Amino acid sequence: MHTFEFFRPPDRAAAIAAAAKATTAQQGAEVRFLGGGTTLIDLMKLRVETPERVLDINRLALGTIENTPDGGLKIGATVRNSDLAFHPHVHRDYSVLSQAILSGASAQIRNMATVAGNLLQRTRCAYFRGTCAPTWGACTTSPA
């Protein structure tokens, strides 16, 4: 695995300031957030992602599910997929979301994976997990 700095920002402002130092948020970014880590760690092991700095946001207050005044939900970035799927309001009023989460991964993954990680993860297709430029037939999914 590529050497990187592991940083636990003390608050949201510090996390944002640290992330703002990256020149891009796309593949190859120097800074990556760690929530559940179910995809990021795998990609780092394959050297598909080689960030210089990993920001662990698990201790920040981002793991809440709150009802909004208009009847919607505010879902924090580090809410675990299992917690969202089994939340009473989600289960009752957003049953399709609950069912989709429950059918999308094993219980072990759902217990680790975060909502933000799910939204931001790289495509799981082997073609897109390769370490090369996206050209048909020229990609490798193994480390260089």
Side-chain angles (χ1 to χ4, degrees):
M1 190 182 290
H2 176 76
T3 302
F4 61 93
E5 177 187 357
F6 184 80
F7 176 62
R8 280 196 178 113
D11 54 39
R12 293 178 191 193
I16 292 167
K21 293 178 182 177
T23 58
T24 182
Q26 302 301 317
Q27 177 182 349
E30 309 91 49
V31 177
R32 287 288 187 218
F33 290 103
L34 177 68
T38 58
T39 297
L40 178 62
I41 300 303
D42 289 342
L43 292 174
M44 289 174 69
K45 287 178 183 177
L46 292 170
R47 296 180 187 223
V48 172
E49 288 287 347
T50 55
E52 295 171 16
R53 193 171 212 199
V54 174
L55 306 178
D56 181 355
I57 61 171
N58 283 294
R59 294 185 181 173
L60 301 181
L62 300 171
T64 59
I65 303 170
E66 302 170 9
N67 295 326
T68 62
D70 63 355
L73 288 175
K74 181 179 176 184
I75 303 167
T78 60
V79 169
R80 304 296 173 188
N81 287 352
S82 290
D83 294 336
L84 184 60
F86 292 116
H87 187 274
H89 189 159
V90 173
H91 194 69
R92 183 188 68 236
D93 297 337
Y94 300 93
S95 61
V96 172
L97 174 59
S98 179
Q99 291 169 27
I101 293 168
L102 293 172
S103 66
S106 68
Q108 292 89 344
I109 296 292
R110 286 193 309 266
N111 288 337
M112 289 280 303
T114 62
V115 171
N118 242 21
L119 293 173
L120 297 174
Q121 75 176 330
R122 253 178 97 121
T123 304
R124 288 196 171 269
C125 171
Y127 170 78
F128 288 105
R129 293 174 74 88
T131 56
C132 65
T135 56
W136 286 103
C139 221
T140 178
T141 56
S142 61

